[in-house]
Amino acid sequence: MISNNKLRMISGAFTGILLLLQLPTSGYAATAVNTSTELNEFVSAKWAPSDFLTSSNGKSAVQANELVQLLNEAADAAGYDQDIINKLGSTEIKRENAAILLDQIIDVPFSEDISFLDVKDSTYQPSIEVIATSGIMKGISSSRYGFGQKLTYSEAAIVAYRLYQYLQPFSPIEASITSIQDALKSGRLNSEELVELYLDRIGKYDDNGPKLNSIITINEGAIELARKLDEERKKQGARGPLHGIPVILKDNFDTMDMPTTGGSLALKDSIPSDDAYQVKKLKEAGAIILAKANLHEFAFGYTTSSSLGGQTLNPYNLERVPGGSSGGTGAAIAANFATVGMGSDTGGSIRVPSSFNSLVGIRPTIGLSSRDGIMPLALTQDTGGPIARTVADAVAVLDATVGYDPNDETTASGIGHFPDSYSDYLDVDGLHGARIGIVREVFGTDQEINAVMDNTIDELKQSGATLIDNVAIPNFAEINNFESLSNWEFKFQFNDYLETLGANRPYDTLSDIISTGMFDTSIAKQLKDRNAKETMDDEAYKDIILFRTKLAQQAVLKMMADYDLDALIFPTSAEQIVEIGGNQTIGNGFKLSSFTGYPTVTVPAGFTSDNMPVGMDFFGRPFSEPTLIKLAYSYEQNTHHRQAPKLTP
């Protein structure tokens, strides 16, 4: 093994040469730091010959037989059983010849059409495109491959290290959309294999082991769909970032090929006639609906227990709740059962499970994303959105699911507010110069939660934000006195939803479901009380619609204008995560978004002393998703609070 001193000599001597090899996942923006790191990894690898690279031979041309031997050692160490055959003898090898050698064992599904200006001999073009697409050896710039240049020992070491990494089995643990797409593009992975990896994890950790109980239904057609998407990729490349990406849906999103149950035994065989709008958009983007997740039955609460799915457990502590009502999605994504998930939110149902599972959740502005085909709780407050492990992944899903839908008239207000891509706002320096208000009146009194928030405030300041403390929401006490609209709207809107299921619907009305008794006894009173409402043509209901919404919206906009704020922050839940069977409350912060219809992005903020996740909300003006995404991404990238649960390794 090469000593540390010798390693530093080699690293320093060949930094310039290493720039000739572009990084596999970052286009042409390679840096000496990254390539130097790869060189360090090579000389530290157990399989790397200790005498291959020395401080004196790094700039010298490597011979074909030496390169082939090194590449085969890397492949053997990675468990690959096919050898590269040397047909070039012991001559000094050029970059184009190295591409042909590597092409013997590299198979990308759809090679990029790369036109390097210096490749004059078309014989080499196919192999160069394959190897450049794989990321193992790109060009020396965006326009030149380095055709005719000899490959040096240092470059050969980097190529061998990348080949070893390429041939390693892909791990889905904490894998992002970008890392998965890189693997799919390079040929290291296909979508069928990815689906099988996730299904294996569901079998290992949801059905067995800790038995999280987060999944209600597996999509039996997922593997076949993955095969078709793999074939499509081979023929014409990927549709976009979600091509071949597995998604888990909260089981209140309509799917025409799977039951949509709301977690209720009464609806266990209810299959809608078409997909929810957002599901349709996901499928059009090439996403694979892998499974439907458990939820608090009919989205009534924060603990995620249902008559059909049972009690979902928190993957960070099996004695705690996962949040709700999208707790099945939250637990599943935290445990890496799929790449991303979807939830719905009326009074915190995306935000709370995101907070309780160290995840990112986006509750979009009402009008940005269609609710058509999402089982309603209270449409005045309902919305659907992504739950993911990173801001970038949540943004990729948001990009795919926003838009005008004539079946949801609120989306007409979104016209003019859909950017080309929300990914354009993923700015690591996005907190610099931002003005953020701290809403102390919704923090509550829990010392653990507040200690995490105090640390978060310091982190925001260190990242360049200006924090304005203890900003007050005008008339907040009055706003808080208004009751939930789900008490009024659920019965009538749920009956309308049942009608959309068509002639084969299992029930005509909520009364029919109640008469069966096929629901969790814990929600019996809520169901009956809401079913007792005779009309929405009631002054009490109209007062909520008119006065609560107006008061809340005007209060938020005035306060943000008075202090010239870009966003507000507060803990997603002012209360800690309760044990199974406990009564979960979350404080009043959720009302700012639910009562106004304005957007919130929830991000991991840290952990309590007993290692339970804590989330923070970035809340803003209507259609301010670009600003909130910029702030949330910057905070995430400067802190990295997300940690995977140890119970599902």
Side-chain angles (χ1 to χ4, degrees):
M1 188 63 63
I2 296 177
S3 68
N4 287 336
N5 287 337
K6 191 172 184 181
L7 187 152
R8 283 192 290 270
M9 290 173 60
I10 293 171
S11 178
F14 307 134
T15 291
I17 294 176
L18 297 181
L19 288 173
L20 296 175
L21 289 164
Q22 296 295 321
L23 292 179
T25 61
S26 58
Y28 298 101
T31 67
V33 173
N34 288 319
T35 49
S36 179
T37 298
E38 289 181 304
L39 179 62
N40 293 347
E41 293 291 339
F42 169 80
V43 298
S44 298
K46 293 181 179 179
W47 55 266
S50 59
D51 58 349
F52 178 81
L53 186 62
T54 69
S55 58
S56 61
N57 73 355
K59 296 181 181 181
S60 302
V62 68
Q63 294 185 343
N65 60 329
E66 293 176 303
L67 177 64
V68 169
Q69 181 179 351
L70 179 65
L71 295 178
N72 282 329
E73 290 189 34
D76 289 343
Y80 194 78
D81 58 7
Q82 178 184 335
D83 285 340
I84 295 175
I85 307 301
N86 179 18
K87 299 179 181 180
L88 300 174
S90 58
T91 59
E92 293 179 342
I93 191 166
K94 297 179 181 179
R95 286 172 60 86
E96 60 269 23
N97 297 121
I100 288 181
L101 288 174
L102 287 163
D103 197 12
Q104 293 181 42
I105 62 172
I106 299 300
D107 182 23
V108 301
F110 186 80
S111 58
E112 294 178 328
D113 183 11
I114 303 172
S115 298
F116 291 115
L117 298 177
D118 59 341
V119 178
K120 306 299 183 183
D121 189 340
S122 61
T123 304
Y124 296 96
Q125 184 69 20
S127 292
I128 288 173
E129 289 182 347
V130 166
I131 303 309
T133 301
S134 75
I136 292 177
M137 191 167 72
K138 290 182 176 286
I140 63 173
S141 71
S142 60
S143 60
R144 300 183 66 82
Y145 179 68
F147 193 89
Q149 294 184 15
K150 294 176 181 178
L151 196 73
T152 67
Y153 279 89
S154 57
E155 293 174 333
I158 297 292
V159 170
Y161 171 73
R162 291 178 181 172
L163 178 65
Y164 173 76
Q165 294 292 106
Y166 177 92
L167 296 174
Q168 291 290 304
F170 183 85
S171 172
I173 308 301
E174 299 296 284
S176 67
I177 290 174
T178 297
S179 68
I180 290 171
Q181 287 297 348
D182 287 338
L184 292 169
K185 175 183 173 182
S186 70
R188 185 184 173 199
L189 176 74
N190 62 46
S191 291
E192 181 181 355
E193 292 168 340
L194 181 62
V195 166
E196 289 174 342
L197 287 171
Y198 284 131
L199 291 177
D200 286 346
R201 289 187 59 79
I202 291 172
K204 187 174 182 180
Y205 297 120
D206 206 60
D207 302 331
N208 297 286
K211 295 185 177 181
L212 297 182
N213 203 35
S214 67
I215 301 299
I216 288 181
T217 308
I218 297 290
N219 182 5
E220 295 180 356
I223 290 178
E224 179 59 30
L225 176 58
R227 291 191 189 115
K228 291 179 180 179
L229 287 164
D230 284 334
E231 288 301 315
E232 181 182 322
R233 185 185 292 268
K234 289 178 182 178
K235 293 177 181 178
Q236 61 194 53
R239 300 182 194 180
L242 295 185
H243 188 113
I245 297 296
V247 179
I248 288 175
L249 302 175
K250 182 179 184 178
D251 199 12
N252 63 347
F253 281 74
D254 279 357
T255 45
M256 62 185 298
D257 49 359
M258 299 170 68
T260 300
T261 72
S264 179
L265 278 168
L267 296 175
K268 67 182 180 65
D269 298 317
S270 177
I271 300 180
S273 59
D274 61 359
D275 290 327
Y277 177 86
Q278 293 196 48
V279 175
K280 191 181 305 180
K281 296 279 281 185
L282 287 168
K283 289 182 176 180
E284 289 173 356
I288 299 168
I289 307 306
L290 182 66
K292 305 289 284 291
N294 195 24
L295 64 155
H296 202 108
E297 193 158 350
F298 295 124
F300 279 4
Y302 292 126
T303 59
T304 302
S305 177
S306 70
S307 61
L308 181 60
Q311 175 66 61
T312 297
L313 310 182
N314 190 305
Y316 292 88
N317 185 328
L318 303 182
E319 296 180 354
R320 306 288 185 92
V321 303
S325 61
S326 310
T329 304
I333 300 306
N336 288 273
F337 293 165
T339 314
V340 290
M342 293 296 293
S344 65
D345 190 309
T346 306
S349 294
I350 288 173
R351 294 162 283 169
V352 174
S354 296
S355 172
F356 287 12
N357 291 279
S358 195
L359 296 170
V360 174
I362 299 179
R363 175 189 159 95
T365 306
I366 289 181
L368 194 74
S369 304
S370 173
R371 289 88 48 84
D372 180 59
I374 302 175
M375 195 177 290
L377 179 56
L379 283 173
T380 301
Q381 297 173 197
D382 287 352
T383 188
I387 296 175
R389 291 183 291 272
T390 69
V391 175
D393 284 358
V395 163
V397 175
L398 188 68
D399 267 342
T401 53
V402 301
Y404 171 67
D405 174 17
N407 292 321
D408 183 354
E409 61 187 22
T410 66
T411 57
S413 65
I415 300 296
H417 295 289
F418 307 120
D420 291 338
S421 175
Y422 287 102
S423 65
D424 293 339
Y425 301 93
L426 297 175
D427 181 2
V428 70
D429 296 319
L431 284 166
H432 286 190
R435 290 178 57 83
I436 298 172
I438 307 169
V439 190
R440 294 279 183 186
E441 62 189 310
V442 299
F443 271 45
T445 59
D446 189 279
Q447 294 182 359
E448 291 266 358
I449 301 293
N450 290 341
V452 172
M453 287 303 300
D454 287 343
N455 182 66
T456 292
I457 290 165
D458 288 339
E459 291 169 331
L460 290 167
K461 292 176 181 177
Q462 291 168 15
S463 297
T466 298
L467 277 295
I468 295 86
D469 207 345
N470 204 25
V471 295
I473 305 292
N475 303 313
F476 195 58
E478 183 180 357
I479 294 166
N480 265 333
N481 286 331
F482 285 99
E483 65 178 299
S484 171
L485 282 171
S486 66
N487 295 331
W488 286 94
E489 296 183 353
F490 176 71
K491 168 188 174 178
F492 308 102
Q493 293 168 354
F494 185 75
N495 286 344
D496 290 342
Y497 167 79
L498 289 175
E499 188 173 349
T500 68
L501 298 178
N504 295 323
R505 60 185 177 273
Y507 307 98
D508 290 329
T509 66
L510 180 61
S511 295
D512 296 336
I513 291 177
I514 292 174
S515 68
T516 69
M518 296 172 65
F519 49 84
D520 195 290
T521 56
S522 67
I523 67 166
K525 186 177 186 306
Q526 290 170 289
L527 280 175
K528 292 173 182 177
D529 287 349
R530 294 172 187 194
N531 195 51
K533 295 289 186 184
E534 295 183 358
T535 178
M536 287 194 292
D537 189 19
D538 186 288
E539 291 304 316
Y541 172 69
K542 292 178 180 178
D543 283 348
I544 298 172
I545 292 292
L546 177 61
F547 297 114
R548 191 194 72 177
T549 303
K550 182 179 179 181
L551 274 173
Q553 291 180 344
Q554 288 181 343
V556 166
L557 292 177
K558 173 174 171 49
M559 185 266 277
M560 293 188 70
D562 285 346
Y563 291 99
D564 188 23
L565 299 176
D566 297 297
L568 305 176
I569 61 163
F570 41 87
T572 308
S573 171
E575 305 294 337
Q576 293 192 50
I577 306 172
V578 303
E579 293 185 352
I580 301 294
N583 178 35
Q584 182 69 62
T585 58
I586 63 169
N588 293 319
F590 79 93
K591 296 178 181 178
L592 292 178
S593 185
S594 295
F595 288 5
T596 61
Y598 296 169
T600 298
V601 178
T602 300
V603 292
F607 291 79
T608 57
S609 60
D610 57 354
N611 297 314
M612 295 306 295
V614 176
M616 176 181 68
D617 283 0
F618 285 97
F619 167 74
R621 297 177 176 86
F623 300 107
S624 65
E625 281 83 357
T627 297
L628 300 183
I629 286 166
K630 180 177 68 171
L631 301 178
Y633 181 75
S634 180
Y635 178 74
E636 172 196 62
Q637 294 300 303
N638 282 288
T639 59
H640 298 286
H641 284 304
R642 159 75 187 167
Q643 294 179 21
K646 295 178 181 178
L647 294 172
T648 54

